[in-house]
Amino acid sequence: SSEVLEAIENIIHDVLKSLAQKKAPVLTLPNRSDWRNIEFKDSVGLQMIPHCTTRQIRSDCHKSAPKFALILKILSMIYKMVQSNTYATKRDIYYSDTLLFGSQSVVDNIINDISCMLKIPRRSLHILSTTKGFVAGNLSYTEEDGTKVNCTCSATAVTVSSNVQGIKNLISHAKFMLIVEKDATFQRLLDDDFCNKLSPCIMITGRGVPDLNTRLLVRRLWDTFQIPVFTLMDADPHGIEIMCVYKYGSVSMSFEAHHLTVPSIKWLGLLPSDLERLNIRRDVLIPFTKQDQNKLASIQKRPYIACQPMWKRELEIMATSKLKAEIQVLTSLSSNYLSRVYLPNKLQFGGWL
């Protein structure tokens, strides 16, 4: 707490110093979204380089003055919350003055900028993210407030905690963790009692692009149990992008890579090569859009693909066929093919990359 307060005081001190010298105050932010500031490291994923390029948010420029003011506004809110040991979600901050902030994405972006500027994780700023992820399977733990949570597989999943750092007494006998891209597939596997049938496991879904808490939980479980982590994604560029976020992180959050990435994650499916191997009918596959082509081309150029020859081959298969498939395509073979045949075979015979 004292570290956070001191960091904010230093920023305000610099602003006051500039004003005392009759200069326009300026805030200096690292360029979070610039690939030139990112290095790829096998053991961490995408991380921000120590001496990265920066951009200035000036108070005397009509373009950046509103952002300058909003950063100071949110810094003052953080300062008060840390002092009083209270917490707020990003939504709470936006709804405290919707007219001022304009949109939720403006607030989200500024919070990430502040976290990166102060070099302090967002949780330490007393800002909680709204959670959309679910977890189920062989896992129990205690929330920071003492609530006991048991995720043992049933028809309903548990919402990922909004304070992953605070959970303790994690207990599991799971043999592996399965990250599922979509909620529908996750629910289907729950209904089929997948967590118990094959061997005890933990299932997690971020329901699409994962939020911060879901990524933190995956990392926390991996740190605690050191079990294999597999991903089950659609065979399309969007699914691959989501898998890469779990495994290698994202450019915009690269300054927090050490807490968020799990570089040992394996790609279990749905592989583009599976579509041919399983003789999936072409009429149930979906043709690429221009957007798909662009997304795939951009993924193929990323630094981590070069060190994954098997992944590279899969992406080339997809690029050549210009066809994509959702996991649900497996129901064209039989209604419970995914949980009865596909996943057991893959896990038993090592069909992952």
Side-chain angles (χ1 to χ4, degrees):
S1 297
S2 57
E3 190 190 329
V4 180
L5 295 176
E6 193 183 331
I8 296 173
E9 285 162 8
N10 289 340
I11 299 279
I12 303 306
H13 181 258
D14 289 344
V15 169
L16 293 173
K17 203 163 133 189
S18 298
L19 290 170
Q21 294 168 354
K22 305 254 186 306
K23 290 180 188 164
V26 171
L27 295 172
T28 304
L29 303 181
N31 267 329
R32 284 190 300 120
S33 53
D34 191 337
W35 273 96
R36 288 170 302 180
N37 287 332
I38 311 296
E39 63 178 358
F40 170 65
K41 210 170 165 195
D42 244 357
S43 58
V44 182
L46 301 174
Q47 62 176 7
M48 191 173 260
I49 57 175
H51 305 292
C52 63
T53 61
T54 55
R55 60 200 164 99
Q56 292 197 324
I57 309 294
R58 301 190 62 86
S59 59
D60 61 347
C61 160
H62 75 279
K63 259 188 171 176
S64 62
K67 181 158 186 175
F68 181 93
L70 292 179
I71 291 173
L72 290 192
K73 166 77 175 166
I74 292 178
L75 278 172
S76 81
M77 294 172 87
I78 292 168
Y79 195 84
K80 281 176 193 150
M81 288 192 296
V82 174
Q83 270 189 324
S84 60
N85 196 25
T86 53
Y87 288 81
T89 65
K90 294 186 299 179
R91 284 185 77 75
D92 294 334
I93 290 174
Y94 168 59
Y95 281 110
S96 70
D97 198 332
T98 53
L99 279 176
L100 177 70
F101 294 119
S103 76
Q104 181 69 59
S105 61
V106 167
V107 173
D108 297 356
N109 207 11
I110 286 175
I111 289 166
N112 286 340
D113 278 338
I114 287 173
S115 178
C116 188
M117 173 174 70
L118 301 179
K119 295 185 171 50
I120 289 171
R122 193 159 75 196
R123 299 154 307 288
S124 305
L125 302 178
H126 284 230
I127 296 172
L128 304 172
S129 329
T130 316
T131 297
K132 64 186 176 90
F134 287 134
V135 58
N138 194 296
L139 173 69
S140 62
Y141 56 85
T142 309
E143 291 270 14
E144 195 169 31
D145 64 1
T147 310
K148 288 185 166 40
V149 178
N150 190 354
C151 307
T152 305
C153 239
S154 64
T156 55
V158 172
T159 306
V160 169
S161 170
S162 58
N163 183 2
V164 174
Q165 298 310 100
I167 62 179
K168 48 190 183 286
N169 306 331
L170 289 107
I171 299 166
S172 176
H173 304 291
K175 297 284 180 270
F176 64 91
M177 204 184 329
L178 182 66
I179 300 169
V180 183
E181 177 187 350
K182 282 186 178 154
D183 192 25
T185 310
F186 180 85
Q187 294 298 339
R188 180 65 208 257
L189 290 171
L190 266 187
D191 294 343
D192 291 349
D193 198 22
F194 175 75
C195 298
N196 297 320
K197 273 186 180 158
L198 194 62
S199 60
C201 73
I202 300 168
M203 274 201 323
I204 292 184
T205 179
R207 298 163 77 197
V209 179
D211 58 280
L212 195 68
N213 294 324
T214 304
R215 291 175 62 191
L216 281 167
L217 182 63
V218 170
R219 173 65 196 233
R220 180 83 193 272
L221 293 174
W222 181 70
D223 280 340
T224 308
F225 302 118
Q226 294 288 313
I227 50 177
V229 186
F230 301 108
T231 59
L232 181 62
M233 306 281 152
D234 287 341
D236 65 12
H238 187 62
I240 292 163
E241 172 89 280
I242 288 170
M243 171 172 60
C244 293
V245 168
Y246 282 109
K247 186 175 170 76
Y248 295 123
S250 59
V251 173
S252 63
M253 292 297 287
S254 58
F255 64 95
E256 270 217 61
H258 287 270
H259 308 288
L260 294 172
T261 60
V262 181
S264 65
I265 281 174
K266 305 278 184 268
W267 185 5
L268 189 69
L270 188 60
L271 303 177
S273 59
D274 288 340
L275 303 176
E276 210 164 280
R277 184 175 61 81
L278 299 170
N279 290 320
I280 303 286
R281 300 195 321 269
R282 281 181 79 88
D283 64 320
V284 294
L285 302 177
I286 309 159
F288 259 27
T289 61
K290 187 79 186 119
Q291 201 181 359
D292 290 326
Q293 277 177 284
N294 295 341
K295 167 77 79 186
L296 184 58
S298 105
I299 293 171
Q300 286 176 302
K301 292 193 193 101
R302 293 197 190 155
Y304 44 70
I305 298 300
C307 68
Q308 289 278 8
M310 306 288 273
W311 282 33
K312 202 173 173 182
R313 197 173 65 86
E314 293 292 334
L315 299 189
E316 280 161 7
I317 292 171
M318 193 185 284
T320 308
S321 74
K322 290 192 173 57
L323 292 168
K324 58 183 182 176
E326 296 185 327
I327 295 162
Q328 282 80 352
V329 80
L330 296 175
T331 56
S332 68
L333 299 171
S334 76
S335 63
N336 55 357
Y337 191 85
L338 175 66
S339 59
R340 196 175 52 83
V341 183
Y342 183 82
L343 288 174
N345 281 349
K346 283 250 169 180
L347 290 160
Q348 197 177 340
F349 301 113
W352 56 79
L353 304 178

